[in-house]
């Protein structure tokens, strides 16, 4: 039994040694490299965080509240006053510029006085404005021409309908005049009447010599 257990333990130790010294696969190598890169990234983030905290502690606050017994220097007070003054002037200028930009009064004044026509941008686009005006005039003229043609078309159509009705009336009257009863009435007025005897042939007899 002792020999059996000793052999079993030796085999187990050999298998562990073989597992420790085995060659890694490419997938395992890539996984180890990725773990190493992640560790380096975490270390770099921690170092940058520590550096930022150190610089934040070292920097002095700009607008910190003065403690009891502390006084501002003259340079600091003048800098603060000049900064507020510049900010006030800038805000006033911005408000004035915004007011003039969004106001309608200057635009109406330019339109009424006609000053917008004397600007460089307008004078530069005068040929284009003339071209557009010409197109508008041509468009209006074509509209009037189309209306005139449409009126003439309607007038001609109305005349055609009237002539067609007159033609139909005359045709009906002519057909009535061609009827036998109407013909008999018309010839009776001039002394003619319809014969009731059948027609016969007239022969011309020449005298013999």
């Amino acid at each position: 039994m002792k020999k059996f257990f000793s052999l079993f333990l030796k085999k187990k130790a050999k298998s562990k040694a073989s597992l420790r010294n085995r060659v890694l696969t490419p997938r395992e190598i890539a996984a180890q490299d990725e773990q190493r890169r992640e560790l380096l990234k975490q270390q770099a983030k921690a170092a940058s965080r520590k550096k930022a905290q150190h610089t934040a502690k070292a920097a002095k606050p700009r607008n910190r509240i003065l403690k009891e017994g502390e006084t501002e220097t003259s340079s600091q007070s003048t800098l603060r006053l000049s900064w507020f003054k510049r900010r006030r002037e800038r805000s006033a200028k911005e408000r004035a510029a915004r007011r003039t930009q969004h106001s309608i009064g200057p635009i109406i004044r330019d339109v009424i006085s006609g000053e917008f026509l004397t600007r460089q941008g307008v004078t530069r686009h005068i040929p284009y404005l003339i071209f557009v005006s010409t197109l508008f005039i041509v468009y209006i003229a074509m509209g009037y021409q189309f209306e005139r043609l449409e009126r003439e078309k309607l007038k001609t159509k109305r005349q055609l309908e009237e002539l067609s009705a007159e033609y139909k009336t005359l045709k009906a009257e002519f057909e009535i005049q061609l009827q036998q009863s109407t013909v008999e009435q018309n010839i009776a007025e001039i002394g003619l009447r319809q014969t009731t005897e059948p027609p016969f042939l007239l022969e011309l007899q020449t005298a013999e010599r």
Side-chain angles (χ1 to χ4, degrees), residues 25-165:
T25 60
R27 186 179 296 175
E28 292 175 349
I29 293 170
Q32 286 183 357
D33 292 339
E34 189 174 356
Q35 289 177 358
R36 197 178 295 111
R37 283 195 295 271
E38 290 291 333
L39 183 62
L40 290 173
K41 285 181 182 179
Q42 290 177 1
Q43 290 176 358
K45 285 181 181 179
S48 62
R49 195 180 298 112
K50 287 181 180 179
K51 187 176 180 181
Q53 290 176 358
H54 181 69
T55 53
K57 287 179 181 179
K60 293 181 179 180
R62 294 176 62 186
N63 297 324
R64 66 185 182 87
I65 300 171
L66 296 175
K67 296 180 181 179
E68 293 182 0
E70 290 183 352
T71 56
E72 280 188 339
T73 60
S74 60
S75 61
Q76 289 178 352
S77 61
T78 52
L79 283 172
R80 183 171 294 181
L81 288 173
S82 62
W83 182 78
F84 279 113
K85 189 176 180 181
R86 285 198 303 273
R87 186 174 180 181
R88 194 180 300 111
E89 290 176 356
R90 193 185 305 119
S91 61
K93 288 180 181 178
E94 288 177 356
R95 283 197 299 271
R98 198 180 298 112
R99 195 181 301 113
T100 55
Q101 184 178 2
H102 295 287
S103 61
I104 308 174
I107 298 172
I108 297 172
R109 187 170 57 251
D110 291 343
V111 171
I112 293 172
S113 62
E115 291 182 359
F116 73 99
L117 296 173
T118 59
R119 293 177 182 174
Q120 186 177 2
V122 178
T123 55
R124 188 172 64 249
H125 293 92
I126 283 175
Y128 177 72
L129 294 175
I130 293 171
F131 173 70
V132 173
S133 303
T134 307
L135 288 179
F136 273 114
I137 293 168
V138 171
Y139 177 75
I140 293 168
M142 289 178 66
Y144 280 115
Q145 182 71 12
F146 176 75
E147 289 180 359
R148 187 178 63 80
L149 292 174
E150 194 68 22
R151 284 196 298 270
E152 290 181 357
K153 181 180 177 182
L154 292 173
K155 184 179 178 181
T156 307
K157 187 177 180 180
R158 197 179 300 113
Q159 290 177 357
L160 181 62
E161 289 176 356
E162 291 176 357
L163 292 173
S164 177

Side-chain angles (χ1 to χ4, degrees), residues 3-16:
K3 289 182 180 180
F4 177 75
F5 279 115
S6 62
L7 289 172
F8 179 73
L9 290 172
K10 285 180 181 179
K11 287 181 180 179
K12 194 171 183 181
K14 285 181 181 180
S15 63
K16 285 183 179 180

